[in-house]
mmCIF file of all heavy atoms in Angstrom:
data_model
loop_
_atom_site.group_PDB
_atom_site.id
_atom_site.type_symbol
_atom_site.label_atom_id
_atom_site.label_comp_id
_atom_site.label_asym_id
_atom_site.label_seq_id
_atom_site.Cartn_x
_atom_site.Cartn_y
_atom_site.Cartn_z
ATOM 1 N N GLY A 76 -5.272 36.742 5.226
ATOM 2 C CA GLY A 76 -6.081 35.726 5.880
ATOM 3 C C GLY A 76 -6.226 35.849 7.379
ATOM 4 O O GLY A 76 -7.264 35.520 7.933
ATOM 5 N N ALA A 77 -5.207 36.391 8.071
ATOM 6 C CA ALA A 77 -5.300 36.557 9.521
ATOM 7 C C ALA A 77 -5.743 37.960 9.927
ATOM 8 O O ALA A 77 -5.955 38.248 11.099
ATOM 9 C CB ALA A 77 -3.952 36.278 10.158
ATOM 10 N N LEU A 78 -5.895 38.859 8.940
ATOM 11 C CA LEU A 78 -6.341 40.196 9.232
ATOM 12 C C LEU A 78 -7.858 40.265 9.307
ATOM 13 O O LEU A 78 -8.549 39.432 8.755
ATOM 14 C CB LEU A 78 -5.836 41.187 8.145
ATOM 15 C CG LEU A 78 -4.338 41.312 8.002
ATOM 16 C CD1 LEU A 78 -4.003 42.252 6.862
ATOM 17 C CD2 LEU A 78 -3.745 41.818 9.295
ATOM 18 N N PRO A 79 -8.401 41.266 9.990
ATOM 19 C CA PRO A 79 -9.873 41.433 10.053
ATOM 20 C C PRO A 79 -10.448 41.644 8.674
ATOM 21 O O PRO A 79 -9.753 42.144 7.752
ATOM 22 C CB PRO A 79 -10.045 42.682 10.903
ATOM 23 C CG PRO A 79 -8.777 42.971 11.552
ATOM 24 C CD PRO A 79 -7.709 42.340 10.708
ATOM 25 N N GLY A 80 -11.672 41.282 8.506
ATOM 26 C CA GLY A 80 -12.380 41.455 7.239
ATOM 27 C C GLY A 80 -12.651 42.943 6.954
ATOM 28 O O GLY A 80 -12.405 43.809 7.837
ATOM 29 N N ALA A 81 -13.118 43.217 5.783
ATOM 30 C CA ALA A 81 -13.398 44.583 5.367
ATOM 31 C C ALA A 81 -14.614 45.148 6.135
ATOM 32 O O ALA A 81 -15.521 44.404 6.514
ATOM 33 C CB ALA A 81 -13.690 44.632 3.867
ATOM 34 N N LEU A 82 -14.611 46.437 6.347
ATOM 35 C CA LEU A 82 -15.735 47.119 6.986
ATOM 36 C C LEU A 82 -16.947 47.028 6.081
ATOM 37 O O LEU A 82 -16.855 46.922 4.860
ATOM 38 C CB LEU A 82 -15.390 48.587 7.234
ATOM 39 C CG LEU A 82 -14.200 48.866 8.136
ATOM 40 C CD1 LEU A 82 -13.953 50.373 8.205
ATOM 41 C CD2 LEU A 82 -14.407 48.300 9.507
ATOM 42 N N ILE A 83 -18.101 47.164 6.676
ATOM 43 C CA ILE A 83 -19.344 47.178 5.931
ATOM 44 C C ILE A 83 -19.916 48.587 5.943
ATOM 45 O O ILE A 83 -20.108 49.164 6.993
ATOM 46 C CB ILE A 83 -20.352 46.166 6.518
ATOM 47 C CG1 ILE A 83 -19.763 44.765 6.514
ATOM 48 C CG2 ILE A 83 -21.702 46.217 5.797
ATOM 49 C CD1 ILE A 83 -20.506 43.730 7.297
ATOM 50 N N GLY A 84 -20.135 49.134 4.767
ATOM 51 C CA GLY A 84 -20.760 50.430 4.608
ATOM 52 C C GLY A 84 -20.075 51.615 5.242
ATOM 53 O O GLY A 84 -20.754 52.466 5.845
ATOM 54 N N PRO A 85 -18.751 51.737 5.153
ATOM 55 C CA PRO A 85 -18.133 52.929 5.777
ATOM 56 C C PRO A 85 -18.578 54.211 5.068
ATOM 57 O O PRO A 85 -18.711 54.224 3.873
ATOM 58 C CB PRO A 85 -16.611 52.686 5.604
ATOM 59 C CG PRO A 85 -16.528 51.808 4.381
ATOM 60 C CD PRO A 85 -17.784 50.946 4.456
ATOM 61 N N SER A 86 -18.765 55.248 5.885
ATOM 62 C CA SER A 86 -19.172 56.569 5.280
ATOM 63 C C SER A 86 -18.609 57.692 6.111
ATOM 64 O O SER A 86 -18.341 57.521 7.295
ATOM 65 C CB SER A 86 -20.702 56.668 5.211
ATOM 66 O OG SER A 86 -21.243 56.711 6.507
ATOM 67 N N VAL A 87 -18.455 58.831 5.457
ATOM 68 C CA VAL A 87 -17.988 60.016 6.156
ATOM 69 C C VAL A 87 -18.695 61.224 5.519
ATOM 70 O O VAL A 87 -18.900 61.244 4.324
ATOM 71 C CB VAL A 87 -16.465 60.198 6.102
ATOM 72 C CG1 VAL A 87 -15.964 60.272 4.681
ATOM 73 C CG2 VAL A 87 -15.987 61.416 6.906
ATOM 74 N N ARG A 88 -19.119 62.160 6.360
ATOM 75 C CA ARG A 88 -19.696 63.398 5.834
ATOM 76 C C ARG A 88 -19.404 64.526 6.779
ATOM 77 O O ARG A 88 -19.148 64.354 7.951
ATOM 78 C CB ARG A 88 -21.226 63.242 5.667
ATOM 79 C CG ARG A 88 -21.988 63.006 6.909
ATOM 80 C CD ARG A 88 -23.477 62.729 6.592
ATOM 81 N NE ARG A 88 -24.165 62.416 7.781
ATOM 82 C CZ ARG A 88 -24.676 63.275 8.639
ATOM 83 N NH1 ARG A 88 -24.569 64.572 8.431
ATOM 84 N NH2 ARG A 88 -25.302 62.907 9.762
ATOM 85 N N ARG A 89 -19.379 65.737 6.187
ATOM 86 C CA ARG A 89 -19.170 66.936 6.989
ATOM 87 C C ARG A 89 -20.446 67.364 7.624
ATOM 88 O O ARG A 89 -21.523 67.271 7.051
ATOM 89 C CB ARG A 89 -18.673 68.076 6.123
ATOM 90 C CG ARG A 89 -17.219 67.855 5.687
ATOM 91 C CD ARG A 89 -16.571 69.153 5.125
ATOM 92 N NE ARG A 89 -15.158 69.009 5.136
ATOM 93 C CZ ARG A 89 -14.433 68.466 4.162
ATOM 94 N NH1 ARG A 89 -15.020 67.979 3.078
ATOM 95 N NH2 ARG A 89 -13.148 68.383 4.271
ATOM 96 N N ILE A 90 -20.354 67.746 8.892
ATOM 97 C CA ILE A 90 -21.543 68.247 9.614
ATOM 98 C C ILE A 90 -21.214 69.621 10.180
ATOM 99 O O ILE A 90 -20.056 70.062 10.144
ATOM 100 C CB ILE A 90 -21.984 67.263 10.731
ATOM 101 C CG1 ILE A 90 -20.844 67.056 11.763
ATOM 102 C CG2 ILE A 90 -22.435 65.958 10.152
ATOM 103 C CD1 ILE A 90 -21.263 66.187 12.931
ATOM 104 N N SER A 91 -22.180 70.277 10.717
ATOM 105 C CA SER A 91 -21.951 71.634 11.228
ATOM 106 C C SER A 91 -20.921 71.648 12.330
ATOM 107 O O SER A 91 -20.696 70.633 12.991
ATOM 108 C CB SER A 91 -23.302 72.223 11.717
ATOM 109 O OG SER A 91 -23.753 71.457 12.803
ATOM 110 N N GLY A 92 -20.361 72.798 12.569
ATOM 111 C CA GLY A 92 -19.366 72.953 13.648
ATOM 112 C C GLY A 92 -18.005 72.425 13.243
ATOM 113 O O GLY A 92 -17.235 72.035 14.091
ATOM 114 N N ARG A 93 -17.705 72.384 11.932
ATOM 115 C CA ARG A 93 -16.399 71.954 11.431
ATOM 116 C C ARG A 93 -16.061 70.568 11.950
ATOM 117 O O ARG A 93 -14.987 70.318 12.509
ATOM 118 C CB ARG A 93 -15.326 72.922 11.786
ATOM 119 C CG ARG A 93 -15.499 74.296 11.109
ATOM 120 C CD ARG A 93 -14.279 75.099 11.401
ATOM 121 N NE ARG A 93 -14.528 76.518 11.440
ATOM 122 C CZ ARG A 93 -14.975 77.182 12.566
ATOM 123 N NH1 ARG A 93 -15.261 76.568 13.601
ATOM 124 N NH2 ARG A 93 -15.131 78.470 12.518
ATOM 125 N N ARG A 94 -16.980 69.604 11.807
ATOM 126 C CA ARG A 94 -16.754 68.271 12.245
ATOM 127 C C ARG A 94 -17.049 67.264 11.144
ATOM 128 O O ARG A 94 -17.783 67.591 10.214
ATOM 129 C CB ARG A 94 -17.638 67.956 13.467
ATOM 130 C CG ARG A 94 -17.329 68.836 14.643
ATOM 131 C CD ARG A 94 -18.225 68.584 15.817
ATOM 132 N NE ARG A 94 -19.621 68.842 15.462
ATOM 133 C CZ ARG A 94 -20.682 68.479 16.170
ATOM 134 N NH1 ARG A 94 -20.495 67.838 17.307
ATOM 135 N NH2 ARG A 94 -21.872 68.778 15.809
ATOM 136 N N LEU A 95 -16.480 66.070 11.276
ATOM 137 C CA LEU A 95 -16.763 64.965 10.376
ATOM 138 C C LEU A 95 -17.522 63.911 11.153
ATOM 139 O O LEU A 95 -17.160 63.584 12.279
ATOM 140 C CB LEU A 95 -15.451 64.356 9.837
ATOM 141 C CG LEU A 95 -14.565 65.187 8.941
ATOM 142 C CD1 LEU A 95 -13.324 64.390 8.548
ATOM 143 C CD2 LEU A 95 -15.348 65.588 7.670
#
Side-chain angles (χ1 to χ4, degrees):
L78 296 178
L82 300 177
I83 300 169
S86 66
V87 60
R88 63 185 175 85
R89 286 195 162 88
I90 59 176
S91 63
R93 296 187 212 82
R94 298 178 297 167
L95 294 178

